[in-house]
Amino acid sequence: MSVAAFWFGGELALLTLAIVVPVAFALIGLRKMGSRPPDTTPGYDGFATEAQFVANLDQVLAGVATHGRTTACFVLMFDELDMLVDRHGRLAFDRVMMRTGERLGLSLREGDVVARLSGHGFAVSLGPVRRFDLEAAVQMAARLQSAVSVPLAVDDMTVYPSLSVGFCLAERAPALLGGPLLDAAQAAADEALRNGPAAIRAYQPDMARRRADRAELRAGLEHALDEGQIRPWFQPQLSTETGEISGFEALARWHHPERGIIAPSEFLPLVEDAGLSERLGEVILYGALSALTRWDKAGHHIERVAVNFSASELRNPRLPDKLKWELDRFSLAPPRLTIEVLETVAARSDNDVIVTNLARIAELGCGIDLDDFGTGQASIANIRRFAVRRIKVDRCFVSRSDTDPEQKRMVAAILSLCDRLGLDTVAEGVETPGEHVTVAQLGCGHVQGFGIARPMAVEETFGWIARHETGRARTSQIGRSQQL
């Protein structure tokens, strides 16, 4: 064509051909691409990519109004992902992901699409259906959960996967497009994860706002830690025998400059997601040890302060050395620091690093409290293996123990077990004088809860300590005068 154009028309014809022909072919190609169905060729792992998934949703949604059909999007996320990886390893987890995706594919119809999401989960879209309401969607979510929750044999291990599900119906999506529909299902899945394990949640319009709020908080976490907005508040623990202050527990609180006090349940999961657990632990530990030295200088003898450590922090092999360095820095004896470990960590963790760390911390002289006892099914062997010195009875047992005989018997059984094992005890969540008296009569060594005092900033503790000591002295004088 080029030779013919130059031969018959000269350079002008050749130049025209060079411009017009490529443009014509490009327009034809674009027209063909626009009429072609979206590419659903599986990705490298056999599942649709996120882009392919959204394109397929766009095509299905485009026919909703025309053909009177509808669809829905489901997002499935693994519960306690970090613990699953920690227990079985990254390679085993990748195999679990692959097998889970295969099970999802086998449980769906032709035309349904499964995509693997970057956040270690799966998205499922339904092919066009004539009718699909909320009840059908809940049943579908439960069916998907059942398909993937059957135990998996991976190498020589048995894995018990648990997934939470969020979904959004097409007619409830923020917009009739694939991207907004997937985002809505993801917001519902985030809400399900927060209420899991194995929870199911349908998308609600306020979920998007809450998700945006959490994203904003997550973005400001590091700045908040650097600026001192997140710091420890302290809740006292009392001896049931003497009424003396036996210690304080350091609890993380975020004082946001615009939103005020943000509840720990809102920001602590974000800290874990953002990988800032160790940074938060450093802030709380520093604040707790600083408070001990300030109380000492003020003439208040506080025996110990307790600090919570997450599983990710306990996996750090340098943790015992860090604690020793911080204690030496403040010239404090190791017994004045107590490390609190959730019972769920002790019950489910087979991580040798955690066991070794807690053994080294105990050898250092620090106390180890098992927190939320009764909720995580920790065995006696685990209690011994983790060198636990004190058990914290969860508030779900302490609550109404003065009026509910079943609750009272449960607390009595836990305290009897601890007594036989030679373990000290703390009753959490004591909110009424009756609960205080009941757990004390049953033999609990210490009490903590709103009935004693709410968590407070370190500046407020000095006044509270002074008032408590004055009240104890007055009570002792009344007791002596009555004896005389």
Side-chain angles (χ1 to χ4, degrees), residues 295-467:
W295 293 327
D296 288 346
K297 290 178 181 178
H300 302 303
H301 176 66
I302 304 300
E303 186 176 348
R304 67 175 71 88
V305 65
V307 177
N308 296 273
F309 282 92
S310 66
S312 59
E313 293 174 274
L314 292 170
R315 283 193 292 265
N316 182 356
R318 299 188 302 273
L319 179 61
D321 297 328
K322 182 189 296 186
L323 295 180
K324 186 178 185 305
W325 188 87
E326 291 289 354
L327 287 165
D328 292 342
R329 174 185 181 184
F330 286 94
S331 301
L332 292 169
R336 301 193 68 188
L337 175 64
T338 294
I339 306 303
E340 292 199 3
V341 182
L342 287 173
E343 189 193 11
T344 50
V345 175
R348 302 183 190 179
S349 177
D350 298 321
N351 191 300
D352 290 336
V353 176
I354 294 179
V355 177
T356 302
N357 276 349
L358 290 175
R360 290 180 59 194
I361 291 170
E363 290 173 2
L364 182 63
C366 298
I368 296 178
D369 285 1
L370 190 61
D371 198 7
D372 294 347
F373 185 77
T375 62
Q377 301 177 349
S379 66
I380 295 175
N382 277 333
I383 292 174
R384 289 304 187 197
R385 188 164 64 110
F386 283 84
V388 173
R389 293 187 188 177
R390 193 166 65 166
I391 295 292
K392 301 191 74 176
V393 184
D394 189 73
R395 62 182 178 182
C396 68
F397 301 110
V398 175
S399 177
R400 297 177 285 104
S401 58
D402 56 330
T403 58
D404 187 335
E406 289 294 329
Q407 290 286 88
K408 186 174 182 178
R409 279 193 289 270
M410 184 65 71
V411 173
I414 294 173
L415 295 176
S416 176
L417 171 66
C418 294
D419 181 59
R420 290 179 178 273
L421 294 175
L423 299 171
D424 202 359
T425 49
V426 182
E428 293 185 290
V430 173
E431 297 189 355
T432 66
E435 292 170 356
H436 189 163
V437 171
T438 298
V439 297
Q441 290 176 342
L442 292 174
C444 189
H446 309 268
V447 288
Q448 173 184 350
F450 288 175
I452 311 302
R454 291 178 175 271
M456 63 193 90
V458 65
E459 294 80 11
E460 300 174 29
T461 59
F462 297 96
W464 188 90
I465 293 170
R467 290 191 298 272

